[in-house]
Amino acid sequence: MKDIKENKVSIVVAIYNVATYLDKLIHSLVKQTYQNIEIILVDDGSPDESGSICDSYAKQDSRIIVLHKSNGGGCEARNKGMELATGKYITFVDGDDWVEPDYIEYLLNIMLFYNADMALTDSVFTTRDTKQNITDDIENLTPERAASAIVRKEFPVGCWNKMYSLKMVRKHQLDFNVPWSGEGLYFATMAAQYSNSVAKGHKRIYNYRQNNPTSCLTAYDVK
């Protein structure tokens, strides 16, 4: 494994009405095997206890930054989190999901191995599929191949389960500007196209929750 300790990673989490799931999420972030991280929790005007839960964790861990804002939607929350990011790399986690202990280490390691601007895995855990893949399959993809695979849903289409060079994101002024279902697909696809290459792995390191009755998955609204 390469020496990757000097590379700070920003983790942005847009949070709204997910108090039930926050302990599991935040605990999975602070317990990462790769410790050079900042955790940016954006409380998007949650009417439940989400904001106070975030504040309590921030008091325990100096790597946690909490931003409280009036409700503006997930896109705006992620954009505000990106503005605060100071890492060399950035990743996004949804407020009702959680990640494996090596989530950051795995993505960063394959990203640096190929000197890529973006990294992802093509497979995730879900609340309906909890078995780890038996073998891993790591390769370096061209921007065209990666973007095509995301659009064709060969890979998970969300902005999560991926890592990006923050320099690349800011250079091309990428943000979340589609205020409905599909903003993650847009961001991930554009990032892939602007990347010099995309490192792809097969290990499952992200847990995608499918039993949240208020998520976009279960309360889908196509504009």
Side-chain angles (χ1 to χ4, degrees), residues 95-118:
D96 55 350
D97 295 335
W98 73 100
V99 297
E100 294 299 297
D102 61 340
Y103 172 71
I104 296 297
E105 183 175 4
Y106 179 85
L107 288 177
L108 183 57
N109 205 38
I110 65 172
M111 197 170 184
L112 293 179
F113 182 81
Y114 288 116
N115 192 30
D117 283 332
M118 180 174 169

Side-chain angles (χ1 to χ4, degrees), residues 18-185:
V18 289
T20 302
Y21 312 113
L22 265 184
D23 282 322
K24 185 162 191 166
L25 163 66
I26 299 176
H27 184 78
S28 76
L29 297 178
V30 299
K31 295 298 183 180
Q32 286 295 295
T33 55
Y34 186 79
Q35 292 286 296
N36 188 12
I37 59 177
E38 64 178 4
I39 303 166
I40 303 172
L41 306 176
V42 184
D43 169 28
D44 191 35
S46 297
D48 64 2
E49 299 301 312
S50 293
S52 59
I53 293 173
C54 292
D55 288 337
S56 68
Y57 276 97
K59 293 177 182 177
Q60 303 171 40
D61 194 319
S62 61
R63 298 172 301 169
I64 297 177
I65 301 165
V66 181
L67 171 64
H68 299 283
K69 59 180 291 298
S70 59
N71 180 251
C75 290
E76 183 180 287
R78 290 196 189 107
N79 287 339
K80 293 295 184 182
M82 281 199 294
E83 290 176 10
L84 296 178
T86 63
K88 187 173 181 180
Y89 303 98
I90 191 168
T91 184
F92 302 92
V93 178
D94 278 2
D96 55 350
D97 295 335
W98 73 100
V99 297
E100 294 299 297
D102 61 340
Y103 172 71
I104 296 297
E105 183 175 4
Y106 179 85
L107 288 177
L108 183 57
N109 205 38
I110 65 172
M111 197 170 184
L112 293 179
F113 182 81
Y114 288 116
N115 192 30
D117 283 332
M118 180 174 169
L120 57 84
T121 62
D122 62 8
S123 185
V124 298
F125 288 119
T126 72
T127 42
R128 300 169 189 166
D129 185 358
T130 59
K131 292 184 179 180
Q132 180 61 269
N133 294 325
I134 298 175
T135 59
D136 199 356
D137 178 22
I138 300 172
E139 58 181 316
N140 200 25
L141 306 178
T142 64
E144 295 82 4
R145 171 72 181 99
S148 173
I150 294 171
V151 170
R152 293 167 63 88
K153 298 185 179 181
E154 296 174 31
F155 304 156
V157 299
C159 62
W160 38 262
N161 191 49
K162 300 169 179 68
M163 185 175 289
Y164 314 87
S165 158
L166 190 54
K167 181 179 179 181
M168 178 272 293
V169 168
R170 287 177 171 163
K171 175 182 178 181
H172 297 288
Q173 299 179 321
L174 298 181
D175 61 8
F176 296 89
N177 57 13
V178 183
W180 52 75
S181 296
E183 80 282 355
L185 168 63

